[in-house]
Amino acid sequence: QEISDTSFGKGLINFTAKDSSFSVKFAPRFQVRSISSWDHDGDQYGSPEHNFIVRRARLKFDGFAYSPKLKYKIELGLSNRDISGANDYNRNTPRYILDAVIMWQFAENWELWAGQTKLPGNVERVVSSANLQLIDRSLLNSRFNIDRDLGIQLRHKSNLGGNFLMREKFAISQGEGRNVTEGNEGGLQYTARLELLPFGAFKSKGDYSQSDLKREAKPKLMLGFTYNYNQDAVRERGFAGDYMERTDGTIYETDQTTIFADAMFKFDGFSFMGEYAKRTADNEIATEADGVTPTGDIVLTGNALNLQAGYLFKSNYELAARFTTVEFESITSTLPRKQYTIGLNKFIVGHKLKVQSDLSYTTIAGNEDNITFRLGFDLHF
Amino acid sequence: QEISDTSFGKGLINFTAKDSSFSVKFAPRFQVRSISSWDHDGDQYGSPEHNFIVRRARLKFDGFAYSPKLKYKIELGLSNRDISGANDYNRNTPRYILDAVIMWQFAENWELWAGQTKLPGNVERVVSSANLQLIDRSLLNSRFNIDRDLGIQLRHKSNLGGNFLMREKFAISQGEGRNVTEGNEGGLQYTARLELLPFGAFKSKGDYSQSDLKREAKPKLMLGFTYNYNQDAVRERGFAGDYMERTDGTIYETDQTTIFADAMFKFDGFSFMGEYAKRTADNEIATEADGVTPTGDIVLTGNALNLQAGYLFKSNYELAARFTTVEFESITSTLPRKQYTIGLNKFIVGHKLKVQSDLSYTTIAGNEDNITFRLGFDLHF
Amino acid sequence: QEISDTSFGKGLINFTAKDSSFSVKFAPRFQVRSISSWDHDGDQYGSPEHNFIVRRARLKFDGFAYSPKLKYKIELGLSNRDISGANDYNRNTPRYILDAVIMWQFAENWELWAGQTKLPGNVERVVSSANLQLIDRSLLNSRFNIDRDLGIQLRHKSNLGGNFLMREKFAISQGEGRNVTEGNEGGLQYTARLELLPFGAFKSKGDYSQSDLKREAKPKLMLGFTYNYNQDAVRERGFAGDYMERTDGTIYETDQTTIFADAMFKFDGFSFMGEYAKRTADNEIATEADGVTPTGDIVLTGNALNLQAGYLFKSNYELAARFTTVEFESITSTLPRKQYTIGLNKFIVGHKLKVQSDLSYTTIAGNEDNITFRLGFDLHF
């Protein structure tokens, strides 16, 4: 057996080639949870359903290749939830690849990205699922995020004076989400994001990791604004949801616009994240080629607000809470939801080895709907 | 090119972090076989069908994380046989993950396991498919084993005096087998297993590896008894088989009980394994919601006996033989089978690099049915 | 973080065990492309369709195990194109495994291979997709190649005097292509290939890598001749295409024969590859059990010619061109195609890190059909 100069949480494999021609960090990770759920039938809560799941399991490679200016990332999904989404547009295959992207720093403060990766959308989405404060992301995210896509991104950062940082991110991408193999239905998707960090950079990229594990000595804030325009979009939620297929074999297309405003704040163990999202569409109701007969597909337009905060005690226990409200345009016939969640976390080795639990209470159109308790752990090399 | 202080068969990668914060053994393995099969048509054997298959291909990670008291195991299947089993309850995805489990030694002689892994079922099933004496497991196993599930296990061991070891294993799990993502149909599954090792531990965990490759200097024996109760089970063979779906969209549920008694014995190159299995159910015949009309699904109840033995010559050639009989309750309309197998193995580097062949003769309800010859190799880093 | 004595392009992991009991090179790679395509509608070219794709993503392990005489190769596909091809004969699972093969040098100049890997078919096919001169292989290859299969191969090489090398390769395989799990429909497949290298071996196995990256100081030539006989073949293109299923559940079988003659030439940065392919069948028209009623499936018989050449400038830019013509027997009702392609490559680290572009013009039965521009990169550890 060998001895390796690495540590738990820094990658299962982590090295730089002696000739500095490449570096790699390779890390597997997985999340296991138990879930107990009580549905309300209008009169009372029924008996609970208990289940277990390997929610996510991933293999991630990142580092640089040839030159430190050329970084790469490959992330593969292994769990059944990670890889679901086979359809006619990806040859009915599991969606193993999450990220396959190179990031080329072609000039000081400029990067060009090419391949498949997350778009510069809402901060909650771009935070890795390995670094969440509650067991999973919010309803805002599940209904309105813009996720991953295939294409290119241009990224720039600049210092506006003092510690004030500004970052601008632009993407042109295919518009149908990750892992598409069969051409490009509809048009392209355009995304722009502006980030303002008036008090300077967070420690260890803490602006894109939840919970204030680094206990920022001074207040740190990121304000983000994303504008996303999916031209001639063909799916009910832009990058995701059903393809709006017509009986004649063509697909209904409509422009979809999604905007996000979000904030991340951390100070001395306290963390806050707030997000607002709104999706609109030229015409929500998908129609047959005659332009009149509805196909049954409807673009999910509406808006949402998500607020969450937590405090990390010296013991590395954290108490967290979240409030989310999602509302949809009446044309979608989808009822509004509110969700209240409280969470208790124990970070054994930061986000790399942690036990989390949370309890959520959900209402639909103001009526009691569900209570869910979740308990799980993350193991991340 | 680097030089690594490892050896073939000890893992492709095998190291402990310098700060003892984790260890990992990573090993790919695969099995290739050719199969020639002659079916009997009632009068005579027909012409053979020849085929080749990559039967199993796996990637396995194991070791400890953070503390030697916290072990982990991740095993991934790669071959088409390994990953089959997509259905509505796993989002119609391949079942890539075999094991994703952590094992926490929370006190001396006690372990708590959480995640997805094999249940403490019959010894033949728990022996890795990498460590088999014949090319594949028996008919008893394919019809009656309880395989893997998602949940938790509690494990304890104690010394009863002298070398006498006792191990107790308890599991509470979801009850539908591995890789389920969509809730939990029916109830939970409860498993208990007791193991008695009157002459002490086998060398190199030989109680869970077939063939006496370590040539035990003294006789070693393990006796095991497993009781498994799958409450409100929804599949024809508990963790496996068709979901017993009704036309109204609900699923037929019935309690299923499986018991095993098994023994593993090794001494001086000789090895013996014997197993008895029996499955019963409250009501084998799945019915529609009216409780009368049969849906066509039937729980596969019955019992089986499997006996196998082998002798390893000094040359590392082994001769092995197996006899298996499986019988089903008449309500299942499934005919009994008997199978006689002889095998010849050459272990080049133990189970890590071996060539195996076996010849099986099978009868159904006493009538000649099939002769199969298999030849294959295992490569296991 | 560790320091590793490796270099970019030599494998992400590359070592030999200290006791020489095994070696391994592990390399991930992926290819990303953008594609712009203009279809001709008979009158004019329409507006372009733009799309992005992760065309291939692979994990490859190779080296030796136990003895340098026993080599192995495992290659796994990750991209959705790589793994497509689920059907009833592979348990409707993704085809994750590309290669799983051992290669045993049992005598000087002799090797026995067993498992799943590429057959000794046309040179263009056997060249790795990582080492192509244009962004992808030709139409000849997509219609007529014999790809991978499960079985055994016998390989021999000899020196005919001076530098003159001869290689003979024989294969017996299942005949239905890679990843089949369910028996063997139809008969076996037999392949023989003869290779003549009158001026000796290419540098760095350049006979099976496109573009003359090694700038051969002396002319090097390989002439290859492959004969492939797929007895009682059950798919429309031997190893691939639809299974020719009949309404009674049986499958139409017919003998298919494919021949290839090919050449690879390299000298001082110039490279040329030429190939001729021809497939014939006993009876192209699949029929029902009555032997008369057509099932609709037709074996794709015909022939093709593919010529390509390139010149690598000192700057590691390469200009390449390709001409391909494919013709089918009239019974197949498939129109002939001609394709003209020009390509421009920049090799940053040989085939390991390169940017490629090509422009193709295609005619069908002499009529303008399509113009496609592709731009992409390869990253290969």
Side-chain angles (χ1 to χ4, degrees):
Chain A
Q1 206 189 35
E2 296 230 291
I3 304 299
S4 174
D5 190 8
T6 50
S7 287
F8 175 70
K10 307 288 186 192
L12 194 80
I13 293 174
N14 189 342
F15 65 79
T16 300
K18 194 182 277 185
D19 64 359
S20 295
S21 61
F22 75 101
S23 76
V24 63
K25 186 171 83 164
F26 166 70
R29 68 177 168 99
F30 67 100
Q31 299 178 329
V32 172
R33 281 105 184 248
S34 75
I35 301 166
S36 298
S37 177
W38 293 259
D39 280 332
H40 197 278
D41 67 4
D43 287 330
Q44 57 181 14
Y45 286 95
S47 54
E49 183 184 85
H50 303 291
N51 73 288
F52 298 94
I53 187 172
V54 179
R55 176 62 183 83
R56 293 181 181 89
R58 306 277 171 88
L59 301 178
K60 190 165 77 173
F61 300 82
D62 59 10
F64 70 83
Y66 175 61
S67 156
K69 290 180 193 289
L70 186 68
K71 293 182 291 178
Y72 65 91
K73 181 181 176 189
I74 306 170
E75 184 166 337
L76 306 175
L78 304 173
S79 86
N80 297 63
R81 286 278 292 269
D82 287 340
I83 63 180
S84 66
N87 63 32
D88 288 348
Y89 305 93
N90 56 30
R91 300 202 171 185
N92 290 298
T93 51
R95 302 193 304 164
Y96 278 120
I97 299 177
L98 292 160
D99 295 288
V101 62
I102 56 171
M103 295 161 275
W104 176 36
Q105 188 194 326
F106 62 91
E108 181 77 14
N109 294 326
W110 287 92
E111 283 189 348
L112 178 67
W113 293 19
Q116 176 175 294
T117 194
K118 288 178 185 172
L119 290 175
N122 58 316
V123 60
E124 185 186 16
R125 181 68 193 89
V126 181
V127 167
S128 167
S129 58
N131 299 329
L132 300 179
Q133 190 164 38
L134 293 151
I135 283 199
D136 227 317
R137 295 192 183 93
S138 71
L139 289 177
L140 177 150
N141 193 75
S142 65
R143 298 304 187 276
F144 293 106
N145 91 83
I146 55 174
D147 203 60
R148 288 175 166 91
D149 204 357
L150 284 150
I152 57 173
Q153 297 190 22
L154 185 66
R155 293 177 166 229
H156 178 251
K157 61 183 174 186
S158 53
N159 194 313
L160 299 185
N163 290 324
F164 203 129
L165 293 180
M166 182 172 72
R167 295 191 288 233
E168 308 101 80
K169 304 173 179 181
F170 307 95
I172 298 178
S173 58
Q174 192 154 282
E176 294 170 53
R178 67 183 175 100
N179 299 74
V180 170
T181 60
E182 307 307 286
N184 176 21
E185 304 299 331
L188 297 172
Q189 172 173 224
Y190 307 88
T191 307
R193 180 170 169 87
L194 177 69
E195 292 174 354
L196 301 173
L197 291 88
F199 313 131
F202 289 61
K203 285 183 195 167
S204 303
K205 299 187 179 174
D207 43 346
Y208 278 102
S209 179
Q210 296 183 356
S211 303
D212 186 18
L213 295 176
K214 296 294 170 182
R215 304 177 197 277
E216 293 282 358
K218 295 184 179 179
K220 293 291 169 64
L221 176 67
M222 177 175 72
L223 298 173
F225 307 93
T226 290
Y227 175 83
N228 170 268
Y229 175 63
N230 200 334
Q231 192 171 31
D232 294 333
V234 292
R235 306 182 72 170
E236 289 188 310
R237 289 181 287 124
F239 79 95
D242 286 347
Y243 279 78
M244 300 182 285
E245 293 171 343
R246 292 161 160 166
T247 50
D248 68 354
T250 63
I251 309 183
Y252 174 77
E253 301 179 355
T254 188
D255 296 349
Q256 298 183 23
T257 302
T258 308
I259 60 164
F260 300 101
D262 51 60
M264 179 72 90
F265 175 82
K266 291 186 177 182
F267 178 49
D268 197 21
F270 173 79
S271 55
F272 166 81
M273 189 190 75
E275 300 178 294
Y276 173 78
K278 182 177 172 66
R279 182 186 294 122
T280 55
D282 262 17
N283 198 333
E284 285 90 345
I285 308 289
T287 49
E288 295 291 348
D290 62 13
V292 180
T293 316
T295 66
D297 291 317
I298 298 175
V299 179
L300 192 72
T301 53
N303 63 81
L305 180 69
N306 180 51
L307 303 171
Q308 75 180 54
Y311 183 73
L312 182 72
F313 294 93
K314 297 293 180 201
S315 55
N316 286 321
Y317 278 92
E318 184 183 46
L319 262 176
R322 180 166 70 193
F323 168 68
T324 312
T325 173
V326 292
E327 294 178 358
F328 304 97
E329 291 190 28
S330 55
I331 202 169
T332 67
S333 304
T334 304
L335 295 172
R337 287 171 187 246
K338 284 190 168 56
Q339 190 174 75
Y340 306 81
T341 303
I342 54 169
L344 177 65
N345 304 320
K346 169 61 180 173
F347 296 98
I348 302 164
V349 186
H351 284 295
K352 304 302 186 182
L353 180 62
K354 62 180 175 182
V355 179
Q356 294 184 292
S357 62
D358 64 20
L359 182 70
S360 295
Y361 166 71
T362 309
T363 63
I364 297 188
N367 299 312
E368 290 177 274
D369 178 58
N370 178 271
I371 293 176
T372 293
F373 175 72
R374 302 183 291 189
L375 172 65
F377 68 85
D378 271 60
L379 180 65
H380 187 168
F381 286 90
Chain B
Q1 207 191 32
E2 297 228 293
I3 303 300
S4 174
D5 190 7
T6 51
S7 286
F8 175 70
K10 307 289 187 192
L12 194 79
I13 294 174
N14 189 341
F15 66 78
T16 299
K18 194 182 277 184
D19 63 0
S20 295
S21 61
F22 77 100
S23 76
V24 62
K25 186 172 86 165
F26 166 70
R29 68 177 168 100
F30 67 100
Q31 299 178 328
V32 171
R33 281 104 185 250
S34 75
I35 301 165
S36 299
S37 178
W38 292 259
D39 280 332
H40 197 277
D41 66 3
D43 286 331
Q44 57 180 12
Y45 285 96
S47 55
E49 183 184 84
H50 303 292
N51 72 288
F52 299 93
I53 187 171
V54 179
R55 175 62 183 83
R56 294 181 181 87
R58 306 278 170 87
L59 301 178
K60 190 166 76 172
F61 300 83
D62 59 10
F64 71 83
Y66 175 60
S67 156
K69 290 178 194 287
L70 187 68
K71 293 181 291 177
Y72 66 90
K73 180 180 176 189
I74 305 170
E75 184 166 338
L76 307 174
L78 304 173
S79 85
N80 298 62
R81 285 280 292 270
D82 287 340
I83 63 180
S84 66
N87 63 32
D88 288 348
Y89 306 92
N90 57 30
R91 300 203 172 184
N92 290 298
T93 51
R95 302 194 305 162
Y96 197 66
I97 299 175
L98 292 159
D99 295 288
V101 64
I102 57 172
M103 294 161 276
W104 177 36
Q105 188 194 327
F106 62 91
E108 181 77 15
N109 294 326
W110 287 92
E111 283 189 347
L112 179 67
W113 294 18
Q116 176 176 294
T117 193
K118 288 178 186 171
L119 291 174
N122 59 314
V123 60
E124 184 186 16
R125 181 67 194 90
V126 182
V127 167
S128 166
S129 57
N131 300 330
L132 301 178
Q133 190 163 37
L134 294 151
I135 283 200
D136 227 317
R137 295 192 183 91
S138 71
L139 289 176
L140 177 150
N141 194 75
S142 65
R143 299 305 189 275
F144 294 105
N145 91 84
I146 56 173
D147 203 59
R148 289 175 167 92
D149 204 357
L150 284 149
I152 56 173
Q153 296 189 23
L154 184 67
R155 293 179 166 228
H156 179 251
K157 59 184 174 187
S158 53
N159 194 312
L160 299 184
N163 290 322
F164 204 129
L165 294 180
M166 182 172 72
R167 294 191 289 231
E168 309 101 79
K169 304 175 180 181
F170 307 94
I172 299 179
S173 58
Q174 191 155 284
E176 295 171 52
R178 65 184 176 100
N179 298 74
V180 170
T181 61
E182 307 307 286
N184 177 19
E185 304 298 332
L188 297 173
Q189 172 173 224
Y190 307 89
T191 308
R193 180 171 168 87
L194 177 71
E195 292 173 356
L196 301 173
L197 291 88
F199 313 131
F202 290 61
K203 286 184 195 165
S204 303
K205 299 186 179 173
D207 42 347
Y208 279 102
S209 178
Q210 296 182 358
S211 302
D212 185 19
L213 295 176
K214 296 295 171 181
R215 305 178 197 275
E216 294 281 358
K218 296 184 179 179
K220 294 290 168 66
L221 176 67
M222 177 175 72
L223 298 173
F225 308 93
T226 290
Y227 175 82
N228 170 269
Y229 175 63
N230 200 333
Q231 191 170 32
D232 294 333
V234 292
R235 306 182 72 169
E236 290 187 310
R237 288 181 287 123
F239 78 95
D242 286 347
Y243 279 78
M244 299 183 285
E245 294 171 342
R246 292 160 159 166
T247 51
D248 69 355
T250 63
I251 308 182
Y252 174 77
E253 300 180 356
T254 189
D255 296 349
Q256 297 184 24
T257 302
T258 309
I259 59 163
F260 300 100
D262 50 60
M264 179 73 89
F265 176 81
K266 292 186 178 182
F267 178 49
D268 197 22
F270 172 79
S271 55
F272 166 81
M273 190 190 75
E275 301 178 293
Y276 173 78
K278 182 177 172 68
R279 181 187 293 124
T280 55
D282 263 17
N283 199 334
E284 285 90 345
I285 308 288
T287 50
E288 295 290 349
D290 62 12
V292 180
T293 317
T295 67
D297 290 317
I298 299 175
V299 179
L300 192 73
T301 53
N303 64 80
L305 180 70
N306 181 49
L307 303 171
Q308 76 180 56
Y311 183 72
L312 182 72
F313 294 93
K314 297 294 179 200
S315 56
N316 287 319
Y317 279 92
E318 184 183 47
L319 261 176
R322 180 167 68 194
F323 168 69
T324 312
T325 172
V326 292
E327 292 179 359
F328 305 97
E329 291 191 26
S330 55
I331 201 168
T332 67
S333 304
T334 305
L335 296 172
R337 286 169 188 246
K338 284 191 168 56
Q339 190 174 75
Y340 306 80
T341 303
I342 54 167
L344 177 65
N345 305 319
K346 169 61 179 172
F347 297 98
I348 302 163
V349 186
H351 284 296
K352 305 302 186 182
L353 180 63
K354 61 181 174 181
V355 178
Q356 292 185 293
S357 63
D358 64 19
L359 182 69
S360 294
Y361 166 72
T362 309
T363 63
I364 296 188
N367 299 313
E368 290 176 274
D369 178 58
N370 178 272
I371 293 176
T372 293
F373 175 72
R374 302 184 291 191
L375 173 65
F377 66 87
D378 272 59
L379 180 65
H380 187 169
F381 287 90
Chain C
Q1 207 190 35
E2 297 229 291
I3 303 299
S4 175
D5 191 9
T6 50
S7 288
F8 175 70
K10 306 289 186 191
L12 193 80
I13 293 173
N14 189 341
F15 66 78
T16 298
K18 194 183 276 185
D19 65 359
S20 296
S21 61
F22 76 101
S23 75
V24 62
K25 187 171 84 164
F26 166 71
R29 69 177 167 99
F30 67 100
Q31 299 179 328
V32 172
R33 280 103 185 251
S34 75
I35 301 165
S36 299
S37 178
W38 292 259
D39 278 334
H40 197 278
D41 66 4
D43 286 332
Q44 57 181 13
Y45 286 94
S47 53
E49 183 183 87
H50 303 292
N51 72 288
F52 298 94
I53 188 171
V54 179
R55 176 60 183 85
R56 293 182 181 89
R58 307 277 170 87
L59 300 177
K60 190 165 77 172
F61 300 83
D62 59 10
F64 70 83
Y66 175 60
S67 155
K69 290 180 194 286
L70 187 67
K71 293 181 290 176
Y72 65 91
K73 181 181 176 188
I74 306 171
E75 185 167 337
L76 307 174
L78 304 173
S79 85
N80 298 61
R81 286 278 294 269
D82 287 340
I83 63 181
S84 66
N87 62 33
D88 288 348
Y89 306 92
N90 57 30
R91 300 203 171 184
N92 290 298
T93 51
R95 301 193 304 162
Y96 198 66
I97 299 175
L98 292 159
D99 295 288
V101 63
I102 56 171
M103 295 162 274
W104 176 36
Q105 188 194 327
F106 63 90
E108 180 78 15
N109 294 325
W110 287 93
E111 284 189 347
L112 179 67
W113 294 18
Q116 176 176 294
T117 195
K118 288 178 186 172
L119 291 175
N122 58 315
V123 61
E124 185 186 15
R125 181 68 193 90
V126 181
V127 167
S128 167
S129 57
N131 300 329
L132 300 179
Q133 190 164 38
L134 294 151
I135 283 200
D136 228 317
R137 295 192 184 92
S138 71
L139 289 177
L140 176 150
N141 194 74
S142 65
R143 299 303 188 277
F144 294 105
N145 91 84
I146 55 173
D147 202 59
R148 288 175 167 90
D149 204 357
L150 284 150
I152 57 173
Q153 296 189 22
L154 184 66
R155 292 178 166 229
H156 179 251
K157 59 184 174 186
S158 54
N159 193 313
L160 298 185
N163 290 322
F164 204 129
L165 294 180
M166 182 171 73
R167 295 192 288 234
E168 308 101 80
K169 305 173 179 181
F170 307 94
I172 298 178
S173 58
Q174 191 153 285
E176 294 171 53
R178 65 182 176 100
N179 298 74
V180 171
T181 60
E182 307 307 286
N184 176 21
E185 304 298 333
L188 297 172
Q189 172 173 223
Y190 307 87
T191 308
R193 179 170 170 88
L194 177 70
E195 293 173 355
L196 302 173
L197 291 87
F199 313 130
F202 289 62
K203 285 184 195 166
S204 302
K205 298 185 180 174
D207 42 347
Y208 278 102
S209 178
Q210 296 182 357
S211 301
D212 186 17
L213 295 176
K214 296 294 170 181
R215 303 178 197 277
E216 294 282 356
K218 294 185 178 178
K220 292 292 169 63
L221 175 68
M222 177 175 72
L223 298 173
F225 308 93
T226 289
Y227 175 83
N228 170 269
Y229 175 63
N230 200 334
Q231 191 170 31
D232 294 333
V234 292
R235 306 182 71 170
E236 288 188 312
R237 288 180 288 122
F239 79 94
D242 286 346
Y243 279 78
M244 299 183 285
E245 294 171 343
R246 291 161 161 167
T247 51
D248 68 355
T250 63
I251 308 182
Y252 175 77
E253 301 180 356
T254 188
D255 297 349
Q256 298 183 23
T257 302
T258 309
I259 60 163
F260 300 100
D262 51 60
M264 178 74 88
F265 175 82
K266 291 186 177 182
F267 178 49
D268 196 23
F270 173 78
S271 56
F272 167 82
M273 189 190 75
E275 300 178 294
Y276 174 77
K278 181 177 174 68
R279 181 186 295 121
T280 55
D282 262 16
N283 198 333
E284 284 91 345
I285 309 289
T287 49
E288 295 290 348
D290 62 13
V292 180
T293 317
T295 67
D297 291 317
I298 298 175
V299 180
L300 192 73
T301 53
N303 64 80
L305 180 70
N306 180 50
L307 304 171
Q308 76 180 54
Y311 183 73
L312 181 73
F313 294 93
K314 297 294 179 199
S315 56
N316 286 321
Y317 278 93
E318 183 184 48
L319 262 176
R322 179 168 69 195
F323 169 69
T324 313
T325 173
V326 291
E327 293 179 357
F328 304 97
E329 290 190 27
S330 55
I331 202 168
T332 68
S333 304
T334 304
L335 295 172
R337 288 171 186 244
K338 284 189 168 58
Q339 190 174 74
Y340 306 81
T341 303
I342 55 169
L344 177 65
N345 304 320
K346 168 63 179 172
F347 296 98
I348 302 164
V349 186
H351 284 296
K352 304 301 186 184
L353 180 62
K354 61 180 176 182
V355 179
Q356 292 185 294
S357 63
D358 64 20
L359 181 70
S360 294
Y361 166 72
T362 309
T363 63
I364 296 188
N367 299 313
E368 290 176 274
D369 178 58
N370 178 272
I371 293 175
T372 293
F373 175 71
R374 301 183 291 190
L375 172 65
F377 67 85
D378 272 59
L379 180 65
H380 188 169
F381 286 90

